[in-house]
């Protein structure tokens, strides 16, 4: 297995883990026995065994078709219909994945995750007159951001290839039985993939939602599933002390009860930046309810040691830090010797950047612990297609236990609807007329 968990720097007092054992083990069993709130949304728990094999093969075939027809794929979606695929591409292929030679895939750009006019027009410039395809991903089919983006890119496709040609380049990932996008996809004959009912948005990255954009971009999704399967088996372990997902959930619970209401997920590798964004959604949408939860944020070191590093070292002691460390670099690069040695760095000549990064991580760990920041460390052997499957499952399972220990339903997201309703009303969507008048009168008083 390629993930390990270390809590020796958490500053635990004698007996603290034992004290939370009953609540954590109860939460573990609630998840395992599918008896808790939201249990109908646990499709991710055994996804490696239950995911539709025929759909998996169709995803691979569709990815090959996209590669044969296009240079670019525009993946349209937001939240759970966006973050996992981008996290996967960057995790496996790095932050420059679109520019890599021999990437065995098309360039994949994401749209529909904002409503910025500038963003869309830059993306249209990037595509230029190159061949492109579109994967529109929305379970509901009515989410404003992706719906607006899909209109724009569908129109471009139809202008370029005609309505029939466009149909060959549009892939719709949506609900199997209902929704506006399903209706359109059926009517137009777009190839369709399913967002399964039992996997909510933030648990859907390893269904067609994330798999198609990742496969089109050159990620080996068979390997991702091998990692997912191994992680599923490994974390089917009832013993809290030898199951890292349960231990991580226990440590998060202890931190919260000690008043550490913020978790900083700190990576030392830009390939993990989007995984940090994915983690923020997973934790925040799952736990931030009923005025409870640990607020998740992400930091990217060593970059952020030169910005928020000051606060982490010396600011208000309201958080704990979870370091996401990668043991092995995919490619080794060494520090060159320099005859002039003006920066005084010749002492490190010949050392690898990975070695230096590790010393930065070790030094930061000790400094932050000295500064009163409890540290947890999640170590990944390496970044690969295989470990991506493992790491998603690691966080899903830990979160499921942690959410039940907190006493919330970790598998719904009622709060996300509030802004959507207000925005629909203010935009004048039919059916929201009364709300519109009330919201406009409130805004008139405050803006
Ligand atoms: O986790 C969630 O449920 C949300 O982030 C959704 O994925 C997001 O709002 C997009 O919804 P939809 O796929 O219906 O467009």
């Amino acid at each position: 297995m390629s993930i390990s968990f270390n809590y020796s720097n958490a500053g635990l007092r004698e007996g603290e883990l034992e004290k939370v054992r009953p609540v954590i083990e109860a939460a573990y069993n609630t998840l395992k026995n599918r008896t808790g709130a939201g249990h109908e949304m646990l499709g991710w728990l055994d996804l490696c065994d239950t995911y539709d094999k025929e759909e998996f093969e169709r995803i691979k075939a569709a990815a090959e078709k996209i590669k044969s027809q296009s240079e670019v794929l525009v993946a349209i979606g937001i939240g759970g219909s966006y973050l996992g695929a981008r996290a996967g591409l960057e995790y496996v292929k790095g932050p420059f994945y679109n520019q890599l030679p021999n990437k065995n895939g098309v360039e994949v750009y994401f749209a529909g995750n904002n409503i910025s006019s500038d963003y869309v027009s830059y993306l249209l410039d990037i595509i230029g007159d190159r061949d492109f395809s579109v994967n529109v991903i929305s379970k509901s089919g009515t989410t404003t951001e992706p719906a607006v983006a899909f209109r724009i890119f569908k129109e471009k496709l139809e202008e370029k290839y005609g309505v029939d040609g466009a149909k060959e380049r549009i892939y719709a990932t949506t609900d199997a039985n209902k929704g506006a996008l399903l209706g359109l996809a059926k009517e137009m004959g777009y190839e369709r993939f399913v967002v399964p009912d039992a996997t909510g948005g933030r648990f859907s990255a390893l269904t067609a939602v994330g798999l198609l954009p990742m496969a089109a971009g050159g990620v080996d999704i068979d390997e991702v599933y091998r990692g997912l399967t191994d992680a599923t088996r490994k974390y089917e372990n009832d013993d809290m002390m030898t199951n890292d997902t349960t231990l991580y959930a226990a440590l998060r619970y202890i931190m919260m009860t000690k008043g550490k209401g913020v978790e900083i997920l700190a990576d030392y590798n830009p390939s993990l930046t989007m995984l940090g964004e994915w983690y923020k959604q997973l934790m925040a949408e799952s736990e931030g309810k009923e005025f409870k939860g640990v607020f998740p944020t992400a930091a990217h070191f060593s970059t952020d040691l030169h910005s928020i590093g000051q606060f982490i070292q010396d600011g208000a002691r309201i958080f704990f830090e979870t370091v996401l460390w990668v043991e092995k670099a995919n490619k080794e690069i060494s520090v060159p010797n320099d005859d002039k040695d003006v920066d005084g760095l010749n002492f490190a000549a010949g050392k690898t950047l990975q070695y230096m990064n590790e010393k930065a991580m070790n030094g930061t760990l000790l400094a932050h612990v000295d500064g009163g920041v409890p540290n947890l460390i999640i170590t990944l052997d390496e970044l690969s297609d295989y470990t991506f499957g493992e790491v998603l499952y690691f966080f899903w399972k830990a979160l499921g236990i942690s959410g039940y220990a907190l006493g919330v339903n970790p598998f719904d997201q009622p709060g996300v609807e509030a802004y959507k309703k207000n925005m629909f009303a203010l935009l004048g969507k039919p059916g929201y007329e009364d709300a519109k008048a009330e919201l406009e009168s409130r805004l008139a008083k405050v803006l």
Side-chain angles (χ1 to χ4, degrees):
M1 270 306 276
S2 353
I3 305 177
S4 56
F5 179 63
N6 177 337
Y7 58 95
S8 359
N9 300 288
L12 287 195
R13 287 191 292 268
E14 182 95 23
E16 265 182 312
L17 260 176
E18 274 311 308
K19 208 167 144 200
V20 302
R21 189 193 274 263
V23 69
I24 296 299
E25 288 189 344
Y28 176 90
N29 286 323
T30 302
L31 185 65
K32 177 181 159 185
N33 299 327
R34 300 173 187 248
T35 48
H39 60 85
E40 67 286 357
M41 300 303 287
L42 292 179
W44 56 272
L45 201 53
D46 53 2
L47 190 65
C48 64
D49 299 317
T50 56
Y51 191 51
D52 184 338
K53 308 264 176 312
E54 185 265 334
E55 174 124 329
F56 193 84
E57 292 307 315
R58 265 198 321 115
I59 290 168
K60 289 196 280 184
E64 290 310 313
K65 184 174 165 196
I66 292 168
K67 289 185 208 175
S68 71
Q69 281 187 324
S70 294
E71 275 184 66
V72 173
L73 173 69
V74 180
I76 296 176
I78 194 166
S81 297
Y82 152 64
L83 288 159
R86 185 155 170 203
L89 282 160
E90 297 199 8
Y91 181 104
V92 175
K93 297 198 164 273
F96 308 114
Y97 67 94
N98 275 331
Q99 280 75 42
L100 283 185
N102 310 319
K103 58 183 177 297
N104 187 29
V106 296
E107 293 172 28
V108 181
Y109 296 98
F110 292 88
N113 53 68
N114 60 63
I115 325 177
S116 160
S117 184
D118 288 345
Y119 182 94
V120 172
S121 62
Y122 289 136
L123 181 48
L124 289 169
D125 287 346
I126 288 280
I127 297 170
D129 57 10
R130 295 187 294 163
D131 286 318
F132 73 105
S133 299
V134 165
N135 179 198
V136 54
I137 308 159
S138 177
K139 182 160 178 69
S140 61
T142 52
T143 308
T144 309
E145 293 90 337
V148 167
F150 183 49
R151 281 191 179 216
I152 295 167
F153 287 96
K154 178 161 90 60
E155 184 179 76
K156 293 286 164 204
L157 278 176
E158 288 176 351
E159 273 168 24
K160 190 172 165 86
Y161 302 105
V163 173
D164 287 338
K167 285 181 197 171
E168 289 301 308
R169 291 166 181 274
I170 296 177
Y171 302 83
T173 305
T174 189
D175 195 281
N177 304 306
K178 59 180 186 307
L181 180 57
L182 177 70
L184 178 72
K186 277 185 176 165
E187 184 193 325
M188 299 301 289
Y190 303 149
E191 178 156 12
R192 296 195 310 272
F193 296 96
V194 171
V195 188
D197 279 337
T199 55
R202 56 199 177 277
F203 300 88
S204 68
L206 301 185
T207 69
V209 169
L211 292 175
L212 181 55
M214 285 195 280
V219 171
D220 181 342
I221 61 173
D222 285 314
E223 272 296 286
V224 173
Y225 255 64
R226 206 168 61 79
L228 174 70
T229 306
D230 287 352
T232 307
R233 305 287 177 257
K234 178 176 180 185
Y235 300 125
E236 277 164 5
N237 167 6
D238 293 355
D239 175 27
M240 179 179 96
M241 296 308 292
T242 56
N243 182 335
D244 286 342
T245 59
T246 322
L247 271 174
Y248 175 41
L251 264 294
R252 294 183 83 246
Y253 187 80
I254 293 171
M255 291 300 139
M256 188 198 63
T257 52
K258 287 167 126 174
K260 304 293 183 190
V262 177
E263 178 179 32
I264 302 174
L265 186 75
D267 66 71
Y268 284 77
N269 188 327
S271 299
L272 296 174
T273 302
M274 282 309 298
L275 188 73
E277 294 303 301
W278 173 87
Y279 144 90
K280 279 161 55 180
Q281 186 210 15
L282 177 71
M283 297 300 184
E285 269 194 7
S286 302
E287 289 190 332
K289 293 159 198 175
E290 301 172 32
F291 307 108
K292 296 184 195 172
V294 172
F295 181 79
T297 186
H300 314 295
F301 294 162
S302 63
T303 313
D304 286 344
L305 291 173
H306 299 257
S307 61
I308 58 172
Q310 169 61 39
F311 193 109
I312 296 174
Q313 190 65 46
D314 290 333
R317 308 289 72 185
I318 54 174
F319 47 81
F320 65 102
E321 186 176 348
T322 301
V323 172
L324 197 49
W325 174 248
V326 185
E327 193 69 28
K328 186 173 145 284
N330 283 335
K331 281 191 186 153
E332 290 289 14
I333 295 182
S334 300
V335 179
N337 191 61
D338 187 292
D339 288 347
K340 293 200 177 66
D341 195 26
V342 288
D343 51 15
L345 265 178
N346 271 356
F347 77 93
K351 303 278 191 231
T352 64
L353 295 192
Q354 176 69 10
Y355 172 85
M356 296 191 74
N357 207 17
E358 186 175 0
K359 298 304 156 206
M361 189 276 278
N362 292 163
T364 306
L365 171 79
L366 295 180
H368 287 180
V369 169
D370 289 347
V373 181
N375 257 253
L376 311 176
I377 308 171
I378 297 166
T379 301
L380 312 173
D381 281 357
E382 62 181 359
L383 300 185
S384 65
D385 319 69
Y386 175 84
T387 67
F388 184 65
E390 282 184 297
V391 84
L392 291 202
Y393 195 82
F394 174 88
F395 279 109
W396 283 334
K397 184 123 194 202
L399 169 276
I401 301 164
S402 172
Y404 278 145
L406 194 65
V408 298
N409 174 357
F411 307 114
D412 65 0
Q413 54 286 325
V416 179
E417 298 310 310
Y419 107 92
K420 288 188 186 173
K421 280 188 201 145
N422 285 357
M423 185 172 71
F424 285 152
L426 290 168
L427 284 168
K429 189 168 178 172
Y432 290 80
E433 291 77 5
D434 291 349
K436 182 172 197 273
E438 193 238 314
L439 292 171
E440 282 180 345
S441 112
R442 277 176 58 196
L443 285 172
K445 288 182 200 141
V446 292
L447 290 182

